[in-house]
Structure formats: structure tokens, C-alpha cells
Amino acid sequence: MTDGKTEQSARTRLALIGAAEELIALHGVSAVSSRQISKAAGQGNNYAVGHHFGSKDDLIRATLDKHNASIDRLRQKALDAIASDPQVRDWIRCLVCPEIEYLGGLGAPTYFARFFANVSSDPATTILLYEKMGESEPLLAILEGLYGALPEFPAPVLEMRNNMTRHIIVNTLADIERAAESRDHPVTPWQQQCEIVVDALTGMWLAPTTAAP
């Protein structure tokens, strides 16, 4: 009996994660309530999110965790394969390509990239992303390598280019995911998509600085 309840609870949790991912991807964080997520997951109990996760924020954390473990394995693989004397472009490839590779392997339709973009753009949930970033050892190692390879920038330039990098990666992934749903849209291999983004970000980071320090 206990095993059956545990399995049922695990299935319910996965259903709630799937429903939250899709609804938040399509409508945004603030437009989606825990009750709507419970209903979309086929739960008669309107308080299923609270029962299984505690809060909507905790459900968002669990949704991020569902994907981050696999992305971290790809990040570690990229780190293990990095050149002996890595340059800025090498580190940016480590930053970008695992996420695009992961997304390319999910198939369509998928909602994770758009879910991530909406969580990232909502001031109430952006902090949840930074929490998860701080838990990723491969990601922290990549960022440390990137910052060590960069030219020295004035603090405002570094902050602005950091923000631009995040926006470019997050929103490009959402665009790739959205385009994959369209039968009329030609499918670009993830490897090619990766190189396009890496080229753009490398150019941005190595662009000359004209702003006064």
C-alpha cells in the first residue's frame, strides 16, 4: 500500500511539473495560479500544488531541477573536452552549447525554454534562477573560466554585457523552441544554432569599449 501511494505521489508530482511548465511557458508566471496548475494536471484537489510541493515557488524550483541535472551533465562533458589553453570563445561554447544541445534532444513540442524565459523575466521569480545557478558546480566553473579569459572591463560594462548574455541565451532558446513547433519553419541542426549564438556572444564580449570608466 505504501509503495502504491509513493508511486502515485511521484506520478502526481510529475503531472504538476508538466502542467506548470506548459502553462507558465504559454502565459507567464503571474498569470498562472496554483489552482490552474492543479486543474491542468488532472487533480481534483485544488490544493495539490501546496500538498506536493509547498508553494508555487517550490514547484518552479522542482521544474528547474527536472532539467538542470541533465544540462549539468552536458556542461561537465563540455568542460572535460575544453582546449588546454581555452580562449573566450571556448568558454562561451561551454556556456551556450549544453543548453542548446539539451533543448535539441527534447523533441517538439516542449515548453522548458519558454518556461525558463518567463521565470527569468518575472521579478518575483528571477531569484529562483540565481539560486539554481549557485548550485551548479559545472556552470560556476565555466563562468569562472570565462571571466578569467575576458579583457578587463569597467564594472558597468561588465554588468551590462552579463545581462545581455543572459537575455540573448534565454530568449534565443525560447525562439528556437517556439520555431520547432512550426511545420513550416525549417529545422536548423542544434550544432549550427550553437555556433551562430557563440559567434554573436564572442563578438559582443570582445567588442571595443568606448564608455568612460
Side-chain angles (χ1 to χ4, degrees):
M1 182 69 73
T2 301
D3 289 344
K5 287 184 177 180
T6 301
E7 290 176 5
Q8 179 60 42
S9 178
R11 286 195 294 270
T12 300
R13 284 174 63 88
L14 285 175
L16 290 166
I17 286 172
E21 188 173 307
E22 181 174 351
L23 289 176
I24 290 173
L26 297 178
H27 305 293
V29 176
S30 61
V32 176
S33 68
S34 294
R35 180 172 295 189
Q36 288 171 314
I37 293 169
S38 297
K39 182 178 179 180
Q43 301 303 303
N45 177 7
N46 289 329
Y47 301 99
V49 169
H51 175 73
H52 287 278
F53 293 95
S55 69
K56 191 169 86 169
D57 279 359
D58 290 325
L59 174 55
I60 289 172
R61 289 186 179 96
T63 306
L64 293 169
D65 285 339
K66 173 191 169 186
H67 297 278
N68 282 346
S70 296
I71 296 172
D72 266 354
R73 284 193 288 272
L74 293 173
R75 286 173 177 145
Q76 188 60 55
K77 180 181 174 182
L79 273 172
D80 292 342
I82 201 166
S84 57
D85 184 25
Q87 305 301 306
V88 170
R89 193 179 195 282
D90 299 312
W91 290 113
I92 291 176
R93 285 193 90 261
C94 285
L95 185 64
V96 171
C97 293
E99 299 197 27
I100 295 181
E101 180 179 359
Y102 177 72
L103 186 62
L106 289 178
T110 181
Y111 300 97
F112 175 61
R114 284 169 287 177
F115 165 86
F116 194 95
N118 282 334
V119 171
S120 175
S121 65
D122 192 302
T125 53
T126 303
I127 186 62
L128 304 182
L129 299 183
Y130 286 106
E131 285 179 7
K132 293 303 171 186
M133 286 173 60
E135 296 173 2
S136 170
E137 292 183 8
L139 178 58
L140 294 176
I142 290 167
L143 292 174
E144 182 179 0
L146 173 60
Y147 294 141
L150 289 171
E152 187 173 347
F153 292 116
V157 174
L158 182 62
E159 181 180 3
M160 182 69 73
R161 293 192 186 187
N162 266 326
N163 289 336
M164 291 170 68
T165 297
R166 178 170 61 87
H167 290 308
I168 288 171
I169 294 173
V170 168
N171 290 295
T172 298
L173 286 169
D175 287 341
I176 290 172
E177 182 180 74
R178 193 177 293 110
E181 291 185 348
S182 173
R183 295 182 180 179
D184 299 327
H185 194 282
V187 177
T188 304
W190 75 261
Q191 295 92 338
Q192 185 178 347
Q193 293 171 334
C194 170
E195 296 306 325
I196 291 170
V197 178
V198 170
D199 287 343
L201 288 175
T202 302
M204 183 196 73
W205 275 108
L206 297 180
T209 301
T210 56

